[in-house]
Amino acid sequence: MADKKYIYKFSEGSGKMRELLGGKGANLAEMTNLGMPVPQGFTITTEACTKYWEDGETIAPEVEAGIYKYVEDLELITGKKFGDIQNPLLVSVRSGARASMPGMMDTILNLGINEEVAESLANQSGNPRWAWDSCRRFIQMFSDVAMGVGKESFERRIEEMKKSRGITQDTDLTWQDLKELAGQFREEYRTARGEEFPTDAKVQLMGAIKAVFGSWNNPRAIIYRRENDIPGSWGTAVNVQSMVFGNTGNDSGTGVAFTRNPATGEKKLYGEFLMNAQGEDVVAGIRTPQTIDQLAEVMPDAYNQFVEISSKLEEHYRDMQDMEFTIEKGKLYMLQTRNGKRTPFAAIKVAVDLVAEGMCTKEEALLKIEPRALDALLHPVFETSALKAANPVAKGVNASPGAACGAVYFSAEEAVEAAKKKPVLLVRKMTSPEDLAGMYAAQGILTAVGGATSHAAVVARGAGICCVAGCKELHINEEEKYLTIAGQTVNEGEYMSIDGTTGSVYVGKIKTVDAAVSGNFGTIMQWSDECRKLKVRTNADTPRDAQIALNFGAEGIGLTRTEHMFFDEERIPAIREMIVAKTSEQRKAALDKLLPFQRDDFIGIFRVMKDKPVTIRLLDPPLHEFLPHTDDDIKVLSGEMGMTFEELRSAVDSLHEENPMMGHRGCRLPVTYPEIAEMQTRAIIEAALTVKKELGINIVPEIMIPLVCEIKELKYVKDIITDVAGRIISESGSELQYRVGTMIEIPRAALLADEIATEAEFFSFGTNDLTQMTFGFSRDDAGKFLNDYYAKKIFESDPFARLDQNGVGKLIKMAAQLGKQTRPDIKLGICGEHGGDPSSIEFCHNTGLTYVSCSPFRVPIARLAAAQAAIRSSVAD
Amino acid sequence: MADKKYIYKFSEGSGKMRELLGGKGANLAEMTNLGMPVPQGFTITTEACTKYWEDGETIAPEVEAGIYKYVEDLELITGKKFGDIQNPLLVSVRSGARASMPGMMDTILNLGINEEVAESLANQSGNPRWAWDSCRRFIQMFSDVAMGVGKESFERRIEEMKKSRGITQDTDLTWQDLKELAGQFREEYRTARGEEFPTDAKVQLMGAIKAVFGSWNNPRAIIYRRENDIPGSWGTAVNVQSMVFGNTGNDSGTGVAFTRNPATGEKKLYGEFLMNAQGEDVVAGIRTPQTIDQLAEVMPDAYNQFVEISSKLEEHYRDMQDMEFTIEKGKLYMLQTRNGKRTPFAAIKVAVDLVAEGMCTKEEALLKIEPRALDALLHPVFETSALKAANPVAKGVNASPGAACGAVYFSAEEAVEAAKKKPVLLVRKMTSPEDLAGMYAAQGILTAVGGATSHAAVVARGAGICCVAGCKELHINEEEKYLTIAGQTVNEGEYMSIDGTTGSVYVGKIKTVDAAVSGNFGTIMQWSDECRKLKVRTNADTPRDAQIALNFGAEGIGLTRTEHMFFDEERIPAIREMIVAKTSEQRKAALDKLLPFQRDDFIGIFRVMKDKPVTIRLLDPPLHEFLPHTDDDIKVLSGEMGMTFEELRSAVDSLHEENPMMGHRGCRLPVTYPEIAEMQTRAIIEAALTVKKELGINIVPEIMIPLVCEIKELKYVKDIITDVAGRIISESGSELQYRVGTMIEIPRAALLADEIATEAEFFSFGTNDLTQMTFGFSRDDAGKFLNDYYAKKIFESDPFARLDQNGVGKLIKMAAQLGKQTRPDIKLGICGEHGGDPSSIEFCHNTGLTYVSCSPFRVPIARLAAAQAAIRSSVAD
């Protein structure tokens, strides 16, 4: 076996070697190749990191030997010697993964120094302050960053020192002070670790490299990866670079800058620098840095060179750059460049500008925008000046983004009433389906209990209403109509403000501004539509949601859930009557009462969607969801329904299921009670006929049968639909096309999709349920143990948020292929929550689906993600 | 398209055309070809039946026209004319499916007759009694069998007639009486149906054929098919045959006979006949038939001819035959032959005898035995003479086969105590896991509530203990220690007897005899072992079960569930302590208490199984199953555990799951609590080391990880096992091999079996859970709606009883193939309840599994079924 190359000199690498060298290493190599002033060094590859973990957290001897060899090369280039006292080579050690990742070990500067070396440097340079400053900094960084020791106590020592000297600025410390501090730090280290601080340069180097590798799997890094879809198998590279010093005096300094403004996207160098400082001082905020423009006055030569390099880098990378530099005795060194992080607003402006400037194509520009970032552009925000004057009183879970301000009300009814006159916030301990009307009427929702998957959060996100959930400081006295929060009392009708993007809660009014879908945003959406192949539909149960989605560019409805319509207080009595019916006649009588409501629901939706496709799913949840479960509630309802408590209790009990997720629901309901499908079909077909006639347009409703596992089951329910629909259409004397299709959400339906497609005219992958059944995970319960799965590195992401392409994806691919085999023109869509997740959308594109369907506020995200998928796959072709 | 042939003359068919002609039609054709005296006729194919249903329950014009053409052919052969008055052709119409099926329309005789024809036949034959008897019989049969009219009222009319004539025997009715009855029957028909009884022969014929086709889907037929794995798509054929008459006088008669005794298997003609009678009289039991021997005296010629034909038929079919015949005026006619149904006892004797007689090979003989029938040979039965003297007082659900007699006890503790001195019956309202010890100690279990899937039933079947469940007449007063049943009171300690095969319950003692595993049975098992390729293991959790299975020929244990061991009252406190533990240390302390118990469990099992393979599954159920759920029980337990009610209530609540089947169970438990897997591994390995040393044999325990869905999850738990096992083995100074494998019971594991097999050394398909997840059916809940699925012909069988080869089977095949791809020598087994189902066993053979594992009492069934699968597949090759 040929020896694997685990280490690359900067001059051996290139910008294309991100996977192996990490982002930082690849860009250092690229800048080296471009002839830019980069302090030389080498990169230990991501594969070395993977090996480190495979080998049980040890650096293999061959890797260690390689490192020393590359250090020797560096000695040749720099003419200095690592570990030498007279002419020491000092280096920095930094992590660098493929994607930049907070939570990982960042930087250790001045490695190779010890007190003997410092003494020698002080003597040689005549700059003892620099020497001892570098020394105490190294001890400080190595202890804290690599060994997790001394963070607070070192700072305390510095404070004590300043106090004893009667000074306030670090820069006022003398070299003697700094030397004394270095000694104190070593003491602290020995006490904490029970061993001497390492003075040997090689020991320091290996310790630092191990710390970088180790930090790849620290908890913060794991959480960040999960949230950002970064695989744990990538690993991080380590960059070892010869030091240049920004802290040698007033002809030295260090800074960071962006080629464009990362907040607004404006094309103008943006950044700051500090004289006589090392890297972390800029970030630490101890001294106030100067703006990058001011460098032109302080050091015009270095500034001009930096401006030139900046624009060269932007042109080279064809994207906005985020750069770090150091000036040592007047000479500029580039320490890093990378594509700059930017606000969503800046992201779209930069993308549009780069195309206008001829720097990149539309396709390339689209790939620069993170689809999920668009979300921030779709919701109201607080006015900047108003927000500055306000202080949050509490924090909750940021459950649904946007800002809202309104008068507080504690019940859905009162919220609905008040909302006719003024903006309102609905404030509840928690919400339930009975609160829907109040939730829709409110500007925002604030709850005391529940998290990001609570009822309030799910409904709010679906409807694009701002929501802060689970605010622990919130106490509601519903009866006396006031709340207390952080010691303050707010009465019904008084104003509060909430920020669903951050979770902050404010007492009083803060002005909000509606999201401006600016010109650039429109341009990006237009380009996306030009590029994408996937259609984008929406999941919408009401005309209101349908209209929002349409405004965001939805091309149809992929999922209308009919059950939410039943919870309305006017309707729920009839559905309950239907449930407790003992005969088919009683059931029909109850359903007859629901028919006009359902028909009106569909009329409303068809009127909004006009001739765009609308997929309506028949009733899906188990019937017990419509009945109360506690004895008290049953007592009340039995009175209302004219039943005895025992009768209703027994009806509730007979519907109880051990595992309702796999129980009597979906198409299993109309198999038992065909009358339900009959009523719903009638409502859909009559609504379509009505709106078709009224607007003179062509409507082709798509009726979707959920939870199918067997072709005969599908055919049984389809026969009910076609019987009823055929009868109504022929009685109407008009013509109407309609389609009947099915959800593919049970593994068996996916496995036998060729059979299923003989009856189904379309498939919609219900990836929520399909994920549940394929993993055997109850979504309601998995949250409790999935954290252990993340902690133990078994899972890297939540399969309910990001489609499991490996397992669930295999079923979807199989089903898509089998379905097309039977019915080549079959429409294939996805309507689970994955329909709005970019990586899942890419999978849908690659699998050849026809459309994705997502909640209204995800439509623009899906449009962009679909475009990116098409662009990436055409590049890959 | 060439016209399909829907009708075959008997002379056109053959015995091989069962699928098309049904069993009866094929055998009539075969007998015709053999030159036997068969009244001629024709068969309408099973495809015509299928078409009838596809065409919306109508007989297609081309089929109808074909029938009339074949009737004309029959007229040519017989020289009679259908519908003619002077020379009428009368026919019988009988159903005939591929497999004989109760519940379907059976027979209509004398079709073509009406009162005019009867009058004419009476005059021509000079036998008016025959003519009018035939006429009233036809009206009676057609009305009842084809039209569902008049069953009771016709019998009442006959009774009234006999009363008014002062006679008791039907045969004493005069021809005038019979003619009058025919008229009365027609009246009844008109009243009930609102139309005249059909006199036109063609109308009669079409009505009868439609009735046969229609009866294919009547509820009894559907239930029978479901229970006997007969697909609904087969359809039934219809046989139309010219009549011969056994009721023309004392030189005529009709009878049925078997070539061997169907109860004992003895090789001697066995049957009975009635002179001057038509077919149904023999069955109806109105007159007492004579034994077949007596025919030798009454009509020696016909008898000798019948004996000759019988033995020719047995030789031809190489199996015991069940025949019907009619003698018309001294001439013998064969009406049917088929392989005879027989008792399990007879089945094995006949099979062994046929081979000894050189009539068939061992392989052919094995195929003649229904594997499930063996069950009856494995359990005790009541002594025949003792049973005759006893009368059951009530009936319950026949939940677990066998007969039992014992003193009744009402609690598990008392049953255990009493069982040390005498046989006991455990009598409970219902059982729960706490009753296990009492259940195992009892001869039989009787419960007042619950059916065939209740806890009592499942445990009893698994352990081979007789059980009658859900006996509604049973009322237990547990406090005062007596029961009442059907008006009788039985006190604790008094004797009762129950028959789990029939569900009958008796007060008092009835002597039982243990099942004799006779020489023939042993022979059959030996032949099975010679033929089969599949190994047969057992599911056994205790040394007792393991020993039973070993006696029945099990070759290893495929599944030891470790959770049942935890319910023992000595142990459950420790497991509860483990569950409520707040720290890893507390958990370990509790598990340390369980370790000696678990180790002893496994020592016991290893001692019984010696060097045979034993697969032990790690803890599988959700932890809340070990805690009480009602406030009262929690109150009691919290006291015992030294916790407050609130603490324990909150522990119980925190374990509550919406869908426990898909919750925190299986390998998800050790992912959260590695200590559990550590303790169980220690118990297994230490037990294996102990028994290995003690007996000086080689033991290779197989440790099985349940509910795996992902390779990293499997690896995580496997690493715990190998760490602990490695440590213990090396500390012991001995050597021990062990294997680590996984259940394949989650669809995702099957889909990614190639990955899973990199870590798993064996797969065991858990088809119970795999069926749940693949269908999305909760087994606990599906019972409620599956009946609708049967009624609506969506499902034909319970996928939990008979493996769904189409869907679940596709996953199993895929997993087997993927697993072998990674690890060619991987062991593949099945340990769901399907492991004891013959059709599922055949699937396992065809899929190339290594073994099936089933409950101890299913082992002989599985051995035979595995042999049959091997024989069938080698024939198919």
Side-chain angles (χ1 to χ4, degrees), chain B residues 482-529:
Chain B
Y482 69 88
L483 64 80
T484 59
I485 189 162
Q488 302 190 47
T489 299
V490 181
N491 294 309
E492 183 187 85
E494 295 180 350
Y495 278 74
M496 288 181 71
S497 305
I498 58 175
D499 186 338
T501 311
T502 62
S504 293
V505 178
Y506 305 81
V507 172
K509 284 190 192 180
I510 308 177
K511 207 175 167 199
T512 61
V513 280
D514 276 350
V517 178
S518 78
N520 287 332
F521 186 90
T523 306
I524 293 297
M525 285 296 103
Q526 188 198 318
W527 292 351
S528 297
D529 293 350

Side-chain angles (χ1 to χ4, degrees), chain A residues 654 656 658-659 661-662 668 671-672 713 748 751 774-776 778 781 784 788-789 792 804 810, chain B residues 654 656 658-659 661-662 668 671-672 713 748 751 774-776 778 781 784 788-789 792 804 810:
Chain A
S654 75
H656 171 79
E658 294 300 320
N659 299 284
M661 189 57 66
M662 308 166 86
R668 300 163 196 175
V671 166
T672 306
E713 178 188 44
R748 194 173 189 273
L751 290 164
T774 306
F775 278 89
S778 159
D781 305 309
K784 287 188 202 162
D788 295 318
Y789 275 65
K792 289 169 181 183
D804 159 46
K810 190 168 183 175
Chain B
S654 76
H656 171 79
E658 294 299 321
N659 299 284
M661 189 56 66
M662 308 166 86
R668 300 163 196 174
V671 166
T672 305
E713 180 187 44
R748 194 172 186 274
L751 289 164
T774 305
F775 278 89
S778 159
D781 305 309
K784 286 188 202 164
D788 295 317
Y789 275 65
K792 290 171 181 181
D804 160 46
K810 190 167 182 176

Side-chain angles (χ1 to χ4, degrees), chain A residues 37-40 244-245 305-306 309 324-329 331-336:
Chain A
V38 174
Q40 283 309 289
V244 289
F245 296 93
Q305 193 189 354
F306 181 70
I309 285 175
E324 289 179 24
F325 62 90
T326 284
I327 299 169
E328 185 185 78
K329 299 180 183 160
K331 176 158 169 40
L332 174 73
Y333 291 95
M334 295 301 295
L335 298 185
Q336 161 145 320

Side-chain angles (χ1 to χ4, degrees), chain B residues 733-753:
Chain B
S734 318
E735 291 197 350
L736 184 81
Q737 269 194 298
Y738 63 94
R739 297 201 177 86
V740 181
T742 182
M743 303 276 288
I744 300 283
E745 52 186 340
I746 298 278
R748 194 172 186 274
L751 289 164
L752 302 176

Side-chain angles (χ1 to χ4, degrees), chain B residues 2 10 24 44 54 73 154 231 250 311 345 354 363 378 392 409 492 546 631 805 811 837:
Chain B
F10 293 167
K24 192 173 292 174
I44 307 164
E54 283 170 4
D73 287 357
F154 291 177
N250 283 330
S311 102
F345 184 82
L354 288 176
E363 288 77 11
L378 306 174
Y409 286 88
E492 183 187 85
D631 279 357
Q805 303 189 9
L811 271 183
D837 168 62

